[in-house]
Amino acid sequence: MTDKNILLWDETLFKELEVLEPDYLPDYFPHRDTQLNTLRFALRPMLRGMRPVNCLLVGPPGTGKTSAVMKGFKEIETHAKNVLAIKVNCQIDSTRFAVVSRIYKKIFGISPPASGVAFRKLFDNIVDSLIRSEKVLLVALDDLNYLCYEGHANEVLYSLLRAHEEFPGIKIGVIGILNDASDLYRLDARVNSVFLPEEIAFPRYEYSEIRDILRDRVKYGFYPKVISEEVLNLTVAYVERTGDLRVGIDLLKRSGLNAELRGSRKVAAVDVEKAYEASKILHLCRGISLLLDSEKKLLELAAKKGEIQAGELYKAFHEQTGLGYTRFYGIVNKLRSLNYVDANFSGKGQRGRTRIIKLKLEAADILNCLEKKA
Ligand SMILES: Nc1ncnc2c1ncn2[C@@H]1O[C@H](COP(=O)(O)OP(=O)(O)OP(=O)(O)O)[C@@H](O)[C@H]1O
Ligand SMILES: [Mg+2]
């Protein structure tokens, strides 16, 4: 006799696993109507062959920014054949040359040689092609913060947005995507005067919104009755801690895999609890991946110590990076605002009060993320 609750070895709980992949672009994309409409409105001029209104999408991890832009791209490309839309991942392409090479590849179908060609030459080729084909170029700079250091953002935006001054007739629009708008303070006036983006805020999702979105993934990703209402609620409760939907989708997938491993036809609370240990780190790793190298270094030193006097930490930091106290102090403040560390006065230092830098998260999780170089 077979127990109907037992999963046979060749059976699966997943109707369509793809629905639970992080880069899956769902048809159902609720709770972002305002943002999508603002984006559509900004892109509308492209339907008439004009340059769009530049946009800046800002919000914490996993709030749908990248997905919203991909939706916008899809729509504009179906309705306007004269549009060339390209998303650049600035974490990978973090210099002007790399960004322009990516655009070149989209237009010409081949990557330019990695060296020996000047930026100027590539850019001229791109401009020529756009003018000849009468196309409007739309560039989404995803994770734009990576370009904000060492002046790359200024160079990139300047080249793209002031191109028409040098090449009349050229039409280029830019969408910037960022977690934290304060990274843009480094943009200089020459860039700001042409960028003038329409800012679109992506706030954290609330419990009911997360539930609605995850329920849709459950419906298409799993066979019926695999995920009960209670299990869904438990999943949503975990996701609400960070508001990061990436964690939610990963959690559903891992919970399902855990249940399969147990040979069960249903996902139970224990599968979710176990999965959360792995999924929660996604949010942290994403946050850590957005830090600068010097910030990662300080976090690593702090993680290895767990608790350390600020002066001592500074000494180690300075030895390894050569950076001074102002920078150190700035980074400590940043790590504090991210809730990675506490920096309270101890009240007992030898020369009066000293600050103690104390890790607020599991050191192992932090070191794990740093190692992944995510
Ligand atoms: N409103 C929504 N409806 C359905 N799925 C959503 C929605 N918002 C986000 N998602 C899903 O959540 C995941 C994270 O979304 P996305 O990558 O767009 O976030 P993001 O804001 O770009 O995050 P980050 O700042 O970390 O890059 C994706 O798998 C996406 O499909
Ligand atoms: Mg994104």
Side-chain angles (χ1 to χ4, degrees):
M1 193 183 82
T2 52
D3 182 340
K4 65 178 174 28
N5 289 320
I6 304 281
L7 195 71
L8 299 177
W9 71 272
D10 61 344
E11 289 181 322
T12 173
L13 303 180
F14 299 100
K15 190 159 67 184
E16 208 185 325
L17 198 52
E18 195 200 332
V19 169
L20 302 170
E21 293 299 333
D23 51 359
Y24 175 76
L25 196 61
D27 285 333
Y28 185 60
F29 196 72
H31 313 297
R32 286 299 180 231
D33 288 347
T34 321
Q35 288 81 354
L36 278 175
N37 283 334
T38 313
L39 184 64
R40 282 184 191 116
F41 198 73
L43 301 185
R44 260 175 86 97
M46 300 180 92
L47 295 173
R48 283 171 287 124
M50 321 271 281
R51 120 176 12 99
V53 173
N54 299 316
C55 296
L56 189 65
L57 278 54
V58 186
T63 50
K65 301 178 297 298
T66 303
S67 308
V69 167
M70 295 325 286
K71 288 246 157 216
F73 272 19
K74 254 188 158 172
E75 287 181 17
I76 196 82
E77 281 178 330
T78 6
H79 292 106
K81 295 290 171 219
N82 61 328
V83 172
L84 201 82
I86 167 158
K87 185 189 73 151
V88 179
N89 180 345
C90 301
Q91 188 172 8
I92 296 168
D93 297 320
S94 59
T95 63
R96 181 172 66 165
F97 186 82
V99 170
V100 165
S101 299
R102 190 65 67 179
I103 299 171
Y104 183 99
K105 184 166 183 215
K106 171 86 182 182
I107 294 180
F108 299 105
I110 45 159
S111 295
S115 62
V117 206
F119 157 80
R120 195 68 237 176
K121 175 104 178 55
L122 292 186
F123 200 65
D124 284 352
N125 286 340
I126 290 171
V127 166
D128 272 354
S129 162
L130 291 174
I131 291 181
R132 253 187 298 113
S133 59
E134 293 182 11
K135 288 206 162 153
V136 187
L137 177 66
L138 175 63
V139 183
L141 299 170
D142 201 356
D143 290 335
L144 176 58
N145 54 297
Y146 286 104
L147 284 184
C148 289
Y149 318 113
E150 297 169 28
H152 295 310
N154 282 321
E155 280 180 3
V156 169
L157 292 171
Y158 191 85
S159 304
L160 294 175
L161 297 172
R162 302 202 82 137
H164 64 277
E165 293 174 2
E166 199 183 334
F167 309 97
I170 187 101
K171 291 179 181 116
I172 303 180
V174 169
I175 300 176
I177 309 174
L178 268 179
N179 283 109
D180 181 357
S182 65
D183 281 330
L184 285 183
Y185 78 92
R186 293 177 179 86
L187 291 187
D188 66 33
R190 297 173 316 152
V191 168
N192 275 325
S193 66
V194 280
F195 189 27
L196 299 172
E198 170 88 35
E199 240 187 90
I200 311 180
F202 283 68
R204 269 177 69 147
Y205 290 114
E206 291 168 12
Y207 184 92
S208 60
E209 296 170 334
I210 299 171
R211 192 169 194 285
D212 184 26
I213 294 167
L214 292 185
R215 172 182 255 173
D216 184 65
R217 297 297 171 103
V218 166
K219 185 172 158 199
Y220 291 102
F222 291 94
Y223 284 110
K225 298 194 183 132
V226 169
I227 307 266
S228 66
E229 288 291 300
E230 292 100 76
V231 166
L232 177 63
N233 290 346
L234 176 66
T235 308
V236 179
Y238 274 127
V239 180
E240 200 196 10
R241 294 181 187 179
T242 55
D244 186 340
L245 261 184
R246 194 179 281 118
V247 172
I249 292 163
D250 190 68
L251 193 49
L252 286 178
K253 181 172 145 186
R254 284 181 199 270
S255 304
L257 292 172
N258 285 346
E260 279 192 352
L261 201 66
R262 290 192 300 114
S264 167
R265 286 184 183 275
K266 283 181 194 298
V267 172
V270 33
D271 299 315
V272 183
E273 281 149 19
K274 201 170 136 208
Y276 185 66
E277 285 311 303
S279 298
K280 72 170 184 197
I281 211 171
L282 270 186
H283 181 71
L284 180 64
C285 288
R286 171 75 182 138
I288 289 180
S289 81
L290 291 164
L291 298 176
L292 286 178
D293 285 346
S294 52
E295 295 163 347
K296 286 183 185 156
K297 185 78 236 158
L298 187 60
L299 184 61
E300 184 191 338
L301 291 169
K304 284 185 173 156
K305 294 289 178 189
E307 192 172 326
I308 181 173
Q309 285 199 358
E312 238 179 275
L313 182 61
Y314 170 64
K315 222 175 114 204
F317 175 72
H318 178 72
E319 264 167 27
Q320 298 207 11
T321 62
L323 294 169
Y325 194 75
T326 318
R327 188 76 191 101
F328 168 78
Y329 195 69
I331 299 177
V332 168
N333 276 339
K334 177 161 178 182
L335 298 181
R336 257 175 92 185
S337 69
L338 286 167
N339 250 335
Y340 294 167
V341 301
D342 255 341
N344 296 323
F345 285 106
S346 72
K348 51 176 191 257
Q350 288 165 340
R351 282 166 290 147
R353 304 188 322 147
T354 36
R355 266 184 199 277
I356 302 288
I357 312 290
K358 194 171 164 190
L359 213 58
K360 285 185 81 176
L361 302 160
E362 291 291 328
D365 288 348
I366 289 189
L367 294 171
N368 201 343
C369 290
L370 284 166
E371 218 166 80
K372 280 188 186 158
K373 294 192 171 53

